Amino acid sequence: MAEQHTPRSLIVSLYGAYGRERPGPLPVAELIRLLAVLGVDAPSVRSSVSRLKRRGLLVPERTEDDAAGYALSDDARQLLDDGDRRIYARQSPLLSEGWVLAVFSVPEAERHKRHLLRSRLGRLGFGSAAPGVWIAPARLYEEARHTLRRLQLDPYVELFRGEHLGFAATAEAVARWWDLGAIAKEHEEFLDLHEPRLRAWEARGELPPMEAYRDYLPALDSWRRLPYIDPGLPAELLPQGWPGGRSAEVFARLHALLRDAGAAFVQA
């Protein structure tokens, strides 16, 4: 099975992995060079940058050499900082930490925002407990608050912290709130692609910068979706043989092995 990576997603991953280290903007020519290694042509890079600019995530700036470039907006930096806590610090929460509830009500005249709210909460890892009631582990509260405010959806939502008191057992309820089978399949697909790559790299003993970058950035681009699909539920609520821990370990080892080696190619 081949991985599918959109140019726009790869650009976000590139800025998240390496772009924040730079004192200035990334030149457009540099973006084209770095994405070409991954099979993305220059028109696709320029088109994707334009879309990210329209979304307010990239801002145009001139480099010290007066070349055209793009830097991260404040919103984009907040988005990446929130993402770091999921992508690089995966820890199974304790059941005692409780839940965050998002309860929303949207007037009929603005019903398009109802769909946007459902979509965004789902992409943050919330499960649907009932119509207009969404639930996630309590540690996702800050990121949910930032995201809803950034999208100007906060007037329609109330956020609560709480614990599940029944009537079904919490593990049974969780299986209704999230599609655990679909989440497990995502982890398994990640493992099918990246566990063999990890084994091959660990057997090599050398880390050529361009090859390290070429394998690391797509792995990051694939992995960074998973902590949003999978909100990181307490282990006691998950089925036996849950693959999430193993896929997190594979990514952590790839990150430790390849990320800094790839940086040498990015900085060349």
Side-chain angles (χ1 to χ4, degrees):
M1 183 186 69
E3 279 184 299
Q4 299 296 318
H5 299 280
T6 67
R8 183 168 53 180
S9 180
L10 286 169
I11 290 169
V12 172
S13 293
L14 175 61
Y15 271 93
Y18 301 113
R20 285 177 286 178
E21 295 180 348
R22 298 175 66 100
L26 268 171
V28 174
E30 190 71 2
L31 286 169
I32 290 171
R33 175 183 78 90
L34 293 169
L35 273 294
V37 174
L38 304 175
V40 181
D41 59 29
S44 296
V45 173
R46 295 182 187 279
S47 173
S48 298
V49 165
S50 294
R51 290 193 192 100
L52 291 166
K53 177 186 171 184
R54 287 196 297 271
R55 288 180 57 194
L57 299 178
L58 293 181
V59 291
E61 286 186 15
R62 307 299 293 187
T63 69
E64 289 184 356
D65 299 330
D66 201 36
Y70 285 87
L72 292 165
S73 68
D74 290 341
D75 280 348
R77 289 186 179 277
Q78 181 67 71
L79 197 65
L80 291 172
D81 289 345
D82 284 339
D84 285 350
R85 287 187 283 274
R86 295 206 196 201
I87 295 165
Y88 301 112
R90 292 282 286 170
Q91 295 180 346
S92 181
L94 300 174
L95 187 56
S96 60
E97 293 173 7
W99 306 91
V100 57
L101 293 176
V103 181
F104 67 82
S105 177
V106 179
E108 188 62 26
E110 299 178 278
R111 61 187 305 173
H112 65 284
K113 292 186 178 178
R114 194 177 305 151
H115 172 73
L116 180 58
L117 264 167
R118 292 189 191 115
S119 172
R120 183 57 59 170
L121 288 169
R123 288 169 61 184
L124 284 167
F126 278 69
S128 177
V133 181
W134 291 66
I135 187 166
R139 61 185 174 78
L140 301 186
Y141 159 70
E142 287 290 346
E143 186 176 359
R145 184 171 63 86
H146 294 157
T147 300
L148 294 170
R149 282 187 171 170
R150 177 170 58 82
L151 296 175
Q152 299 180 343
L153 295 171
D154 50 303
Y156 307 96
V157 185
E158 296 293 344
L159 297 175
F160 302 88
R161 288 185 186 269
E163 58 182 310
H164 181 239
L165 299 176
F167 291 93
T170 304
E172 293 177 16
V174 159
R176 293 198 306 269
W177 300 337
W178 284 273
D179 186 344
L180 297 180
I183 296 171
K185 184 178 179 182
E186 295 277 353
H187 283 295
E188 288 159 0
E189 289 178 353
F190 179 86
L191 286 165
D192 287 345
L193 287 163
H194 294 288
E195 200 166 31
R197 291 175 184 170
L198 173 63
R199 289 197 296 266
W201 274 105
E202 289 180 332
R204 281 185 70 164
E206 60 174 348
L207 298 169
M210 186 180 76
E211 292 179 48
Y213 164 83
R214 191 175 58 201
D215 273 5
Y216 174 68
L217 201 71
L220 171 62
D221 196 56
S222 292
W223 169 256
R224 72 181 179 86
R225 295 171 48 254
L226 279 174
Y228 288 89
I229 296 169
D230 178 355
L233 298 167
E236 59 264 46
L237 301 181
L238 295 170
Q240 289 291 324
W242 184 253
R246 195 164 119 241
S247 66
E249 174 66 17
V250 165
F251 173 73
R253 286 161 61 186
L254 278 169
H255 173 74
L257 191 64
L258 301 182
R259 190 266 173 202
D260 289 348
F265 174 71
V266 173
Q267 295 162 6

